[in-house]
Amino acid sequence: MYSLVLKGGHPLEGEVHVSGAKNAVLPILAATLLTREPCVIRRAPELSDVAFMARVLTSVGAKVRIQDGAITVQAPRVRGFGDYELVRKMRGSICILGPLLARLGEAQVSLPGGCVIGPRPIDLHLKGLRALGARITIEGGYVCARAQRLRGTSLFLGGRAGPTVLGTANVMMAATLAEGVTVIESAACEPEIVDLAHFLNAMGARISGAGSPTITITGVRELHGAEHEVIPDRIEAATFAIAAAATRGEVTLRGSRPEHYHAVLDKLVEIGAKVERRLGAVTVKGARRYRPADITTQPYAGFPTDAQAQMMVLLTQAEGISLITERIYESRFMHVSELARLGADITLEGSTAVIKGPTPLSGAPVMASDLRASAALVLAGLVARGETRVKRIYHLDRGYEKIDEKLRQLGARVTRVRD
Ligand code: EPU
């Protein structure tokens, strides 16, 4: 296992290129199972989650080639049976359920478990697929879905915490091959859903309204191969933007889409950082003093849950009391106790974190628990005086392409060491 060792207290300075979006490429890879023709996915980030998804596709019969940031998938024949251990390990692989069911009329995929960020049910995925006419049972830990041919209908996908991103993806993919018209109400509006819809339309699907809460899909008989370039990763961009502010440096992000992480940039400006947008580039400049903030995580276009932990690190440097309320995953606060080891003053009141600042941070060994918590610990290590060792960084490699290299380019003192 590897750790990152950081020597903090140095401002990040320079330019960084934003990679393709993990959460866009995973469902897009699943969508390639909808056709027997080859698909080429460009700007695919080099991440362990992406390699894992490639294994999932291979396990159902697809041929996958990864070369120079492009992934070619061809699935002339597929099996409707997702390997239990493989699918169970990565939640994103539940996205193969909709495509396999639509193409084959039956699919058996293992039920994904919860994870450290809280329970992660798939009831809304199943509700949507049932509305399209699938008969679904849970047997031996598998979701077993059957339907001669799915039928378009009008369905509502809103849940307790709002819309579901991967649930919308699953139902949208299944509906592309259904008979008739499907209308998804309370659909997720995330840019990753829009990107998936663009890819599906390039494959011959007829989808309109993606990016709004109402998505309309007119079913077609079959889909064909297509090429697609994945959108830039808005959470990676947000993470570097927050890191620039937290280290009081100046970082220019190249190749990102600032409109996709507007909520984060807006908060940075509100607390006192400078944000400058130019064509193709966003520059974030840190300030000496920061105002506190009150943040609630929300579905897109609200403040993303995936940038909450990173923002908490920055708010330890703000003068006064900041609040972060988590509305998507109410117990996504595993980073709080680790940040305390570095000297942060954060208390939890239900699903709200109360952050008292400014607190000087000082380096310590800390343990990463999930992807975004790991990113927060790295940011804290960049701010803290002395040495911080972030253990179990395999979480980080799931979702940040070459993060240590990119940070080094910005002047960070960071090394990857084997434990
Ligand atoms: N929910 C249900 N029932 C369902 C599905 C979801 O109640 O059937 C609830 C969840 O428990 C949660 C809320 O709805 O409270 C939203 O969950 P959602 O389904 O939108 O999450 P997801 O699609 O499983 C994706 C990202 C997550 C990101 C969330 C929210 C991927 C692979 N994952 O998960 O990304 O946090 O949307 O934006 O796209 C990450 O990248 O670190 C990460 C966890």
Side-chain angles (χ1 to χ4, degrees):
M1 271 205 269
Y2 286 90
S3 295
L4 282 190
V5 176
L6 299 115
K7 293 204 172 59
H10 305 283
L12 296 185
E13 307 274 357
E15 283 192 5
V16 64
H17 286 264
V18 175
S19 301
K22 166 181 85 86
N23 290 347
V25 76
L26 295 178
I28 285 173
L29 284 172
T32 63
L33 296 177
L34 284 161
T35 176
R36 54 187 71 234
E37 294 183 14
C39 295
V40 182
I41 314 303
R42 300 194 193 282
R43 200 186 160 107
E46 213 179 287
L47 299 171
S48 60
D49 267 10
V50 174
F52 199 86
M53 192 63 168
R55 279 176 63 198
V56 170
L57 298 185
T58 308
S59 79
V60 296
K63 290 192 182 57
V64 184
R65 205 180 71 223
I66 305 183
Q67 207 171 24
D68 304 329
I71 305 183
T72 307
V73 185
Q74 186 165 18
R77 273 177 300 281
V78 283
R79 288 185 290 281
F81 187 78
D83 179 86
Y84 190 82
E85 284 307 316
L86 210 50
V87 173
R88 195 176 60 91
K89 279 190 193 136
M90 187 179 70
R91 195 185 156 78
S93 50
I94 188 65
C95 284
I96 65 172
L97 180 62
L100 288 179
L101 173 65
R103 179 158 162 192
L104 300 170
E106 63 178 331
Q108 219 175 317
V109 173
S110 68
L111 209 54
C115 67
V116 292
I117 67 176
R120 301 189 65 183
I122 58 160
D123 56 309
L124 297 170
H125 299 231
L126 304 188
K127 176 185 173 188
L129 296 175
R130 282 193 176 110
L132 295 178
R135 290 180 307 286
I136 298 181
T137 51
I138 308 291
E139 290 165 35
Y142 284 95
V143 179
C144 305
R146 277 181 200 84
Q148 274 294 343
R149 181 161 182 214
L150 297 169
R151 282 185 316 277
T153 186
S154 174
L155 59 101
F156 181 82
L157 267 196
R160 208 171 59 86
T164 158
V165 180
L166 292 179
T168 301
N170 236 334
V171 175
M172 188 165 80
M173 289 189 281
T176 58
L177 294 180
E179 192 180 332
V181 178
T182 299
V183 179
I184 306 177
E185 300 285 4
S186 195
C189 301
E190 269 69 3
E192 292 77 15
I193 294 294
V194 178
D195 205 33
L196 174 63
H198 283 154
F199 175 57
L200 291 167
N201 282 342
M203 295 172 80
R206 292 175 58 199
I207 301 173
S208 61
S212 82
T214 305
I215 300 180
T216 305
I217 306 123
T218 304
V220 297
R221 269 269 158 211
E222 59 178 16
L223 297 179
H224 53 75
E227 294 201 12
H228 182 75
E229 185 171 290
V230 175
I231 53 168
D233 196 311
R234 63 193 167 101
I235 303 300
E236 189 202 17
T239 301
F240 278 102
I242 296 169
T247 60
R248 298 176 162 100
E250 182 169 340
V251 172
T252 297
L253 299 150
R254 294 241 170 241
S256 75
R257 299 263 299 264
E259 68 275 22
H260 288 171
Y261 55 107
H262 201 151
V264 175
L265 294 176
D266 191 61
K267 277 293 164 196
L268 290 177
V269 171
E270 187 185 306
I271 69 169
K274 285 203 172 56
V275 174
E276 208 181 283
R277 298 185 188 200
R278 277 169 290 121
L279 201 64
V282 177
T283 300
V284 178
K285 191 173 175 197
R288 204 165 54 81
R289 302 176 67 175
Y290 289 113
R291 291 179 284 276
D294 184 352
I295 295 175
T296 300
T297 64
Q298 288 169 338
Y300 190 77
F303 194 95
T305 172
D306 293 341
Q308 173 258 108
Q310 302 89 311
M311 195 68 182
M312 195 176 291
V313 174
L314 172 55
L315 292 177
T316 65
Q317 304 307 303
E319 296 179 7
I321 294 178
S322 296
L323 302 176
I324 296 187
T325 302
E326 179 52 73
R327 287 257 184 271
I328 309 295
Y329 301 112
E330 282 168 14
S331 53
R332 193 179 202 178
F333 287 116
M334 299 293 285
H335 43 287
V336 169
S337 55
E338 295 302 291
L339 291 176
R341 288 180 200 277
L342 304 180
D345 182 351
I346 306 169
T347 47
L348 286 177
E349 287 174 16
S351 54
T352 299
V354 180
I355 305 129
K356 288 198 190 117
T359 45
L361 301 181
S362 73
V366 285
M367 187 85 88
S369 56
D370 74 271
L371 173 58
R372 308 304 170 185
S374 311
L377 295 177
V378 170
L379 261 55
L382 293 171
V383 174
R385 295 272 158 200
E387 183 177 294
T388 298
R389 176 182 279 253
V390 183
K391 297 187 204 165
R392 294 200 186 163
I393 54 154
Y394 57 84
H395 292 293
L396 211 54
D397 294 330
R398 287 186 37 220
Y400 288 93
E401 188 175 52
K402 301 189 175 113
I403 188 167
D404 40 341
E405 276 178 39
K406 289 187 179 187
L407 286 172
R408 270 196 298 276
Q409 276 167 20
L410 296 172
R413 318 283 201 271
V414 50
T415 44
R416 182 178 286 249
V417 296
R418 197 190 282 273
D419 291 328

